[in-house]
Amino acid sequence: MAKHVEAYFRTENDAESAKSSLQKYNIEQEAVEPIPEEADLTPIVPASGSANTGGGTFAFTDLLSTKKDDDAMADKRHLTHVLNFKIPEENYDEALKVIVEHDGHMDQSKL
């Protein structure tokens, strides 16, 4: 079964580069689009915080801290494009690694 993935990036080039790197994992229905201004980026965090990828970690309390929350929201405003794609479940972990390599962000509930 295929999983739907949305990964957010700072530039269109970052998103396109990630899309190119993901081609070897048989992704489908891939599209890079600008993030709508009204999009709620509250649950979006750096994919490097994922336990699945072996990347950096973050504490949930850090996300709730007012100063850090302000910093996190300022960082999210710099995200400009989203990459949507479907990938076979068996390739999902590899896809997360590619997203991390390209400094992507994802919904924390999907990590």
Side-chain angles (χ1 to χ4, degrees), residues 39-97:
D40 178 15
L41 299 179
T42 304
I44 306 303
V45 297
S48 61
S50 167
N52 293 339
T53 63
T57 60
F58 60 90
F60 184 69
T61 54
D62 286 345
L63 292 175
L64 297 178
S65 162
T66 305
K67 180 176 181 344
K68 290 188 181 212
D69 191 46
D70 289 344
D71 291 344
M73 284 309 295
D75 183 49
K76 291 174 191 176
R77 288 188 196 103
H78 294 307
L79 299 174
T80 64
H81 285 77
V82 60
L83 168 61
N84 292 289
F85 62 94
K86 289 192 176 189
I87 189 163
E89 278 193 51
E90 62 268 15
N91 295 337
Y92 182 74
D93 287 342
E94 288 85 3
L96 286 180
K97 290 176 186 175

Side-chain angles (χ1 to χ4, degrees), residues 2-34:
K3 291 185 84 160
H4 178 259
V5 177
E6 288 183 353
Y8 298 80
F9 297 90
R10 287 188 171 89
T11 69
E12 183 177 11
N13 284 346
D14 290 343
E16 289 289 351
S17 180
K19 181 175 96 170
S20 178
S21 295
L22 288 163
Q23 294 301 318
K24 63 185 170 189
Y25 298 113
N26 301 317
I27 63 171
E28 298 176 343
Q29 300 175 1
E30 63 273 12
V32 172
E33 302 170 324

